[in-house]
């Protein structure tokens, strides 16, 4: 039962991971063009904000438990 619960939890995370990969691919595509990326993101449950993302070489991934890691776009 515990293994099935873990499997369901991991499968529920797949859409979020795919969205993150799409954003990284978009950042890589815009790199070197000088264009800014306009993104809407969730600040809190039901509260969204708009941000302008300038050209960058890295992304930060939230791992949970107050842990965030910075990776290059290639990684």
């Amino acid at each position: 039962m515990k293994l099935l619960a873990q499997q369901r939890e991991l499968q529920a995370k797949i859409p979020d991971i795919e969205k993150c990969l799409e954003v990284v691919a978009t950042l890589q595509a815009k790199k070197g063009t000088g264009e800014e990326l306009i993104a809407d993101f969730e600040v809190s449950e039901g509260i969204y904000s708009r941000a302008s993302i300038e050209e960058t070489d890295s992304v930060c991934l939230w791992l949970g438990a107050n842990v965030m890691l910075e990776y290059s776009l290639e990684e």
Side-chain angles (χ1 to χ4, degrees):
M1 295 299 283
K2 185 176 178 180
L3 183 59
L4 289 174
Q6 288 176 338
Q7 183 181 17
R8 280 193 299 269
E9 289 174 14
L10 290 173
Q11 287 177 338
K13 292 179 182 180
I14 290 174
D16 288 336
I17 293 169
E18 288 174 342
K19 286 179 190 176
C20 290
L21 288 173
E22 288 176 20
V23 170
V24 171
T26 302
L27 287 170
Q28 286 177 321
K30 297 228 181 226
K31 187 175 178 180
T33 64
E35 290 183 53
E36 290 182 341
L37 176 66
I38 304 298
D40 294 326
F41 63 96
E42 190 171 10
V43 177
S44 182
E45 188 174 331
I47 300 173
Y48 291 85
S49 183
R50 180 163 287 166
S52 173
I53 303 170
E54 297 177 0
E55 190 173 315
T56 183
D57 293 327
S58 63
V59 293
C60 294
L61 299 178
W62 178 255
L63 301 179
N66 293 327
V67 177
M68 183 179 284
L69 294 176
E70 183 175 6
Y71 291 97
S72 69
L73 289 178
E74 291 75 29
E75 287 180 290

